[in-house]
Amino acid sequence: MNSKLQKLFEEAVSWIHRSNTDKIRVVSHYDADGISAASILFIALYREGFDVHVSLMRNPFTDGLERVRRERNEFIIFSDMGSGQIPIIKDFDSRIIILDHHQPLDHTPIDNILEINANLCDIKGDSEACGASLSYVFSSILNSKNRDLIPLALTGITGDKQYIGGIKGFNKEIVEEAVDSKQVTMYKGIKSIGETIEDALYYTVDPYYPGISGNRDGIKHLLMRLHIDPDQNLETLSEIQKKKLYSYLLLILMKTGCTPIILDTVIRERYSSQLTHGEIEGFSDIIDACGKGNQRDLGFAVCIGDEEAYRESLSFHRDYNQLLLDELQKLELQGAEERKYYRYFYSEDSSRSGVIAGIAVNYLFDDKKPLISLVRHKDELHISSRGNQRLTEKGLNLGLAMREIAMKVDGHGGGHKIAAGATIPLDKEEFFLEELDDILRKQIG
Ligand code: C5P
Ligand code: ZN
């Protein structure tokens, strides 16, 4: 492993061992990566005898962080967040460890904060490390017993889509360890959710197969042509049937103009484990749905191994995906508003809108512009922005763009080059739309 990172992890472990408290506060992000990271830390710290209190937060973290500040915790670990919140948390009367992969801010070192950020250790936080992979390696150094939590690290990697372009760098070491230790099995195939092929196709929103996802008639028609029983389980298909089905699905995506890098993610190496009840992308989708669908506790309970919670999460996930499908179908039909350097659309719910933008940018539109979703909520405008690898290679940095605009209008914004968000006052909507075109022109024009 990267020696800079190794040293920081060791220092973090010594902070834990030297702490004079038996309580540790864990604060993490509310998506699949954040929930996986928090679950890893919760189990690892609980095993060390700590009393652990976890909160899963969403952007902007202002109210949540204010509550945490008032708790006067002696020791806090932030995972999958923290680096961007240093201006707020530096004044907390707590010892703080940060395990983050979002773009860090410039600042001078702060005594009570140990900031472990992948980007500060020459690891690409967008594509080579996530909150869960950092939390996993830290936990495995804290105690090698925690190596059994490795499927949760893969859940975070998958949740943050860091398989796009192939699993790389720091993440790759973890995935190799997971396979070598036989805690996960690897096979090649499509994402697997649900019991039957019909359900697997119906509820697959990412990839979004136009005419198939959310379309029972389309699925029945397709499966009839391929002589496949819709009630069959995906695993029980013969190799020839699989080949036919996969080729057809790829053809649909190629026809919609999907880029090769995204096509490569559809049929790819899959990982499956007992802890994740099977295929890890399907599992990570369920956790993400719980987090973004206001069921964060349920997602967390599933990750720490609660069987009843898992059963409940399955039906919750179906309902959540139906909401995504409804919005995606609407967007497919109506299209998005065009600006010179981006496209945008309005959506209803700020947590779902980011997910929808992330899917639509890859499956509904060409790859020339990033896609922005806007949600008007009370006196605020919630913005999610999603790009693609081709654009980031050209210079797109949505995290910087969001932060820059948000700072100008007294809002909050930030994130990754390829996926970022902001919350700004509603009356700044026009300003935002103009300013974004200008910033993007400089980045990719
Ligand atoms: O909210 P959304 O899902 O669009 O966020 C995308 C990414 O941008 C996430 O990684 C999130 O942490 C980051 N973000 C941020 N500051 C915000 C909103 C989002 O750093 N105010
Ligand atoms: Zn993350």
Side-chain angles (χ1 to χ4, degrees), residues 420-431:
T423 301
I424 62 168
L426 186 60
D427 59 4
K428 296 292 187 293
E429 185 174 322
E430 240 347 278
F431 174 82

Side-chain angles (χ1 to χ4, degrees), residues 29 59-61 102 354 383-386 412-416 419-423:
H29 199 206
N59 300 93
F61 306 110
H102 293 85
I383 301 148
S384 284
S385 56
R386 299 293 186 269
H412 304 269
H416 307 281
T423 301

Side-chain angles (χ1 to χ4, degrees), residues 204-370:
T204 299
V205 293
D206 188 359
Y208 178 76
Y209 305 110
I212 298 291
S213 296
N215 185 337
R216 297 242 178 242
D217 288 343
I219 296 169
K220 288 219 168 83
H221 188 73
L222 165 69
L223 295 180
M224 213 154 65
R225 275 182 54 191
L226 301 179
H227 306 290
I228 292 174
D229 173 6
D231 293 328
Q232 221 175 315
N233 184 287
L234 199 58
E235 327 271 89
T236 64
L237 285 183
S238 71
E239 286 309 310
I240 294 179
Q241 283 176 315
K242 272 187 200 163
K243 226 177 193 159
K244 275 195 201 158
L245 176 64
Y246 294 174
S247 315
Y248 197 88
L249 293 174
L250 281 182
L251 197 69
I252 294 178
L253 295 178
M254 276 192 261
K255 270 194 196 154
T256 67
C258 216
T259 60
I261 196 158
I262 296 301
L263 284 176
D264 281 348
T265 65
V266 177
I267 297 153
R268 63 176 161 87
E269 256 97 56
R270 300 275 161 189
Y271 303 94
S272 170
S273 81
Q274 225 174 357
L275 195 73
T276 57
H277 303 266
E279 201 270 317
I280 289 182
E281 191 182 358
F283 182 73
S284 123
D285 276 9
I286 292 173
I287 304 304
D288 210 54
C290 293
K292 292 174 181 166
N294 279 324
Q295 295 281 338
R296 298 172 206 184
D297 299 2
L298 184 64
F300 181 74
V302 173
C303 278
I304 62 170
D306 183 330
E307 294 291 329
E308 203 181 315
Y310 177 66
R311 278 190 295 278
E312 194 182 326
S313 73
L314 289 178
S315 71
F316 179 76
H317 177 242
R318 264 194 288 270
D319 296 343
Y320 178 83
N321 272 19
Q322 187 63 56
L323 295 173
L324 296 180
L325 286 166
D326 293 345
E327 278 205 67
L328 282 163
Q329 282 166 343
K330 197 173 118 201
L331 189 58
E332 189 184 355
L333 208 68
Q334 298 178 347
E337 314 274 342
E338 297 278 343
R339 290 272 170 146
K340 188 136 192 235
Y341 294 105
Y342 67 93
R343 298 187 174 95
Y344 69 101
F345 66 97
Y346 289 89
S347 185
E348 311 261 308
D349 174 273
S350 59
S351 303
R352 278 202 309 274
S353 65
V355 181
I356 290 163
I359 298 169
V361 78
N362 290 328
Y363 300 101
L364 295 185
F365 300 102
D366 69 44
D367 63 349
K368 298 193 177 57
K369 299 177 184 181

Side-chain angles (χ1 to χ4, degrees), residues 381-397:
L381 184 69
H382 292 269
I383 301 148
S384 284
S385 56
R386 299 293 186 269
N388 58 47
Q389 194 161 329
R390 194 183 86 98
L391 291 168
T392 56
E393 279 161 12
K394 258 183 106 178
L396 180 75
N397 190 332

